[in-house]
């Protein structure tokens, strides 16, 4: 398995609508395994194929040790009840904002065996599924912000985008020390 580089804001692949997976091949299984390894290394709970530069319609999620593979996912039901929570994105490092989304969703998808399934999701899983399925449709959480908040987020992003030449976050090169410094900037390493 490999840790893949993550594409960051500005890479056109993040704005592409992905292509449905026709058949679950060994190559797709390898991509899914690499995406899980990359997501774990980047301390995420979800990762969509465009975030590693691929245009297949698939994403991986792992919350509380429960891995979930969603191939060709679609949201078939959304609750009218909504809730707001802070979101981040592995493709937009260090930028966070509150996003309002339907509280509960029902998602239909295919698993790695090619079998179709439906999942009723609430709480963090519902939010993560919506965030990842957005990625598969070329949408980012910034798209849900007010003009004022999106402008503020993009202004902050522009101050740090030079850290990602070619819109690439070299995930594999992020050492534990770098991550610790990033997460606890005020502490002596
Ligand atoms: O797709 C991604 O960029 C991974 C996202 C998934 C996500 C976003 C918002 C809310 C839930 C999930 C995250 O960056 S993974 C980081 C994270 C970790 C714990 C809780 C929330 C977000
Ligand atoms: Zn994201």
């Amino acid at each position: 398995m490999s840790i893949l580089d993550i594409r960051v804001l500005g890479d056109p692949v993040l704005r592409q609508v992905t292509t449905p997976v026709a058949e679950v091949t060994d190559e797709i299984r390898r991509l899914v395994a690499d995406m899980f390894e990359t997501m774990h290394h980047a301390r995420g709970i979800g990762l969509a194929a465009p975030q590693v530069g691929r245009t297949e319609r698939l994403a991986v999620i792992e919350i509380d040790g429960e891995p979930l593979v969603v191939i060709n996912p679609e949201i078939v039901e959304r609750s009218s009840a909504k809730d707001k929570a802070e979101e981040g994105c592995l493709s937009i490092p260090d930028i966070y904002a509150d996003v309002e989304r339907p509280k509960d969703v029902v998602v239909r998808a295919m698993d790695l065996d090619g079998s179709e399934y439906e999942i009723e999701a609430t709480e963090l899983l519902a939010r993560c599924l919506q965030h990842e399925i957005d990625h598969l449709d070329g949408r980012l959480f910034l798209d849900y912000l007010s003009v004022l908040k999106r402008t503020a987020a993009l202004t902050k992003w522009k101050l740090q985008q030079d850290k990602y030449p070619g819109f690439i976050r070299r995930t594999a090169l992020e050492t534990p020390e770098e991550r610790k410094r990033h997460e606890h900037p005020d502490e002596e390493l």
Side-chain angles (χ1 to χ4, degrees):
M1 289 195 289
S2 307
I3 296 173
L4 306 174
D5 289 334
I6 291 178
R7 305 300 179 87
V8 301
L9 188 62
D11 189 318
V13 73
L14 293 175
R15 288 305 189 180
Q16 269 186 251
V17 176
T18 50
T19 304
V21 172
E23 182 193 357
V24 180
T25 62
D26 285 347
E27 206 278 330
I28 292 289
R29 289 188 184 86
R30 169 65 190 267
L31 171 60
V32 165
D34 289 349
M35 286 175 64
F36 271 115
E37 184 169 8
T38 302
M39 180 189 75
H40 292 142
H41 190 84
R43 302 285 181 85
I45 59 170
L47 190 67
Q51 294 182 275
V52 292
R54 297 288 291 258
T55 57
E56 286 88 349
R57 190 169 184 78
L58 65 87
V60 298
I61 289 173
E62 187 167 319
I63 297 175
D64 297 336
E66 290 284 323
L68 183 64
V69 177
V70 287
I71 300 172
N72 302 338
E74 57 175 309
I75 299 175
V76 294
E77 278 179 55
R78 290 176 175 82
S79 66
S80 51
K82 296 205 174 14
D83 70 3
K84 186 181 279 194
E86 186 177 71
E87 296 195 12
C89 182
L90 297 177
S91 293
I92 316 175
D94 305 325
I95 304 291
Y96 302 92
D98 285 346
V99 177
E100 185 173 74
R101 295 186 188 271
K103 197 166 171 299
D104 311 318
V105 291
V106 177
V107 169
R108 182 179 301 143
M110 188 166 62
D111 62 21
L112 275 181
D113 297 330
S115 306
E116 193 168 275
Y117 68 92
E118 279 196 5
I119 185 165
E120 295 181 16
T122 63
E123 309 289 337
L124 184 57
L125 178 58
R127 181 165 294 273
C128 188
L129 278 164
Q130 293 175 82
H131 181 107
E132 302 311 331
I133 292 171
D134 273 348
H135 273 301
L136 302 180
D137 292 326
R139 280 192 299 270
L140 300 170
F141 79 89
L142 297 180
D143 302 344
Y144 295 94
L145 306 185
S146 66
V147 171
L148 195 66
K149 289 188 175 172
R150 185 162 59 245
T151 304
L154 292 174
T155 302
K156 181 178 178 187
W157 171 253
K158 286 187 171 64
L159 295 174
Q160 62 174 13
Q161 65 183 3
D162 294 349
K163 284 165 54 179
Y164 307 100
F167 306 116
I168 286 179
R169 175 180 172 184
R170 301 212 174 279
T171 320
L173 301 182
E174 286 178 357
T175 63
E177 291 72 23
E178 271 177 346
R179 263 209 303 275
K180 186 169 169 46
R181 185 182 299 117
H182 172 77
E183 289 163 359
H184 308 286
D186 305 328
E187 285 177 16
E188 282 299 307
L189 279 181

